[in-house]
Amino acid sequence: MRSGIREYLIVSIGVLSTAFGIPADESTIQKADSLYREMKRSSGAAAERAGMAARRSYAVIMANGAPEHILYRYADTVSTVHFSLDIGTCDEKKRAYRDALALIAKCSTNTNTSAVYHLSSALLFARMIDCADAFEIAGSGYADRIRYHLDRCLSLGNNFAPDLTFLFYGRLHAIAPHVPIFQTWPDKAKAREYYERSLAINPNSLVARFFHADLLHDAGDRDRAMQMFRDIARVAPSADDRASDTKTIAMCKTRMKAFGIAEQ
């Protein structure tokens, strides 16, 4: 009940602010940020409740302009709710990602020079790929859009979450299909390089470690990948990113089962 009342108050204040053209005040943003942190530190139903509340709160705040950091937190909230927590059907997830992309583009003060905007957009397009089959990925242009946004992050100095920029680059090269003539840039060797650059910045990132191990396994370095999978499976989710880490560990265990790797 308390959580529902809190969510109602946050959204109501944001709606009134938007109606009268008044940007959300600092306390409203702090409450939304608090819900965001609660989502990141929780799992299961608690993370879902906090995530849905944070998503609605950020959306209302952004409707009338928002500080730069809100853009990525909103994108990450949508990603966590629909990818890490797996809420909604595939079509519902795609619709949520498209709506979030439109809102972020509308709210960014300068889409040409904002690294936060470009990384947020890259994240959401990456989630679109997670909901698509190989045929859709090849024909949708999602991969090229991710590449464009990541290239812009680098050209702007890559000072905002550089580990994530390299992680997304790695994932892009790992899963984007190589289509002769039309899409020839995907490169598994570059995927490995980008994962390693991401891990050089943030060696504790479970998701980067998992995708790196998955790539090594596909490349034939199975002994190393097997040990990396086992190491990930034994790790407890971090206190600050429990929802994402729980999802990554579950993906790792699923992959281990598919590859016949025992948890030792």
Side-chain angles (χ1 to χ4, degrees):
M1 180 65 69
R2 289 179 182 175
S3 177
I5 293 172
R6 179 173 60 184
E7 177 183 337
Y8 173 78
L9 289 174
I10 290 175
V11 174
S12 297
I13 292 170
V15 169
L16 289 173
S17 298
T18 301
F20 289 98
I22 304 170
D25 61 25
E26 188 62 30
S27 65
T28 303
I29 294 172
Q30 287 176 357
K31 290 176 182 177
D33 285 345
S34 178
L35 285 167
Y36 172 80
R37 289 189 294 271
E38 182 179 340
M39 173 196 72
K40 299 289 280 184
R41 293 170 180 170
S42 304
S43 61
E48 180 181 346
R49 286 193 298 270
M52 296 299 285
R55 174 185 167 183
R56 286 189 288 268
S57 299
Y58 281 140
V60 170
I61 292 169
M62 290 170 64
N64 203 48
E68 187 93 328
H69 83 275
I70 294 292
L71 299 181
Y72 188 78
R73 290 200 170 189
Y74 173 63
D76 190 37
T77 298
V78 175
S79 170
T80 300
V81 167
H82 294 291
F83 177 74
S84 299
L85 299 175
D86 200 23
I87 305 302
T89 65
C90 192
D91 285 342
E92 289 170 341
K93 292 175 182 179
K94 288 180 183 178
R95 185 162 54 250
Y97 300 145
R98 282 193 292 265
D99 290 346
L101 281 163
L103 185 55
I104 286 171
K106 178 182 177 181
C107 293
S108 180
T109 55
N110 194 329
T111 57
N112 289 322
T113 61
S114 171
V116 179
Y117 161 73
H118 287 293
L119 192 64
S120 301
S121 299
L123 169 61
L124 291 166
F125 275 119
R127 292 296 173 245
M128 294 285 283
I129 283 181
D130 288 325
C131 291
D133 56 27
F135 181 80
E136 184 179 353
I137 293 172
S140 64
Y142 295 153
D144 284 328
R145 293 182 188 183
I146 297 170
R147 188 184 181 205
Y148 163 75
H149 286 298
L150 294 177
D151 284 348
R152 290 296 296 150
C153 285
L154 286 185
S155 70
L156 293 168
N158 197 28
N159 294 320
F160 178 75
D163 58 315
L164 295 180
T165 301
F166 293 133
L167 171 61
F168 295 165
Y169 260 126
R171 185 70 176 142
L172 177 62
H173 279 279
I175 67 173
H178 187 283
V179 182
I181 300 175
F182 298 103
Q183 187 167 282
T184 60
W185 53 263
D187 186 337
K188 303 289 186 183
K190 286 186 177 180
R192 180 170 179 169
E193 174 190 339
Y194 282 127
Y195 286 148
E196 290 173 350
R197 292 177 73 177
S198 178
L199 286 166
I201 298 169
N202 183 7
N204 295 320
S205 169
L206 278 192
V207 67
R209 289 166 60 188
F210 168 69
F211 285 135
H212 187 208
D214 203 33
L215 184 71
L216 290 176
H217 188 278
D218 287 347
D221 193 351
R222 297 187 177 181
D223 288 341
R224 185 181 174 195
M226 185 166 56
Q227 187 57 53
M228 292 171 70
F229 282 137
R230 286 176 175 153
D231 290 343
I232 294 167
R234 285 195 293 262
V235 172
S238 67
D240 293 331
D241 204 3
R242 188 176 302 275
S244 177
D245 284 356
T246 299
K247 171 74 171 184
T248 301
I249 293 168
M251 289 194 301
C252 180
K253 291 181 177 180
T254 298
R255 191 73 90 244
M256 290 172 68
K257 184 176 181 180
F259 292 153
I261 302 172
E263 293 183 40
Q264 296 178 356

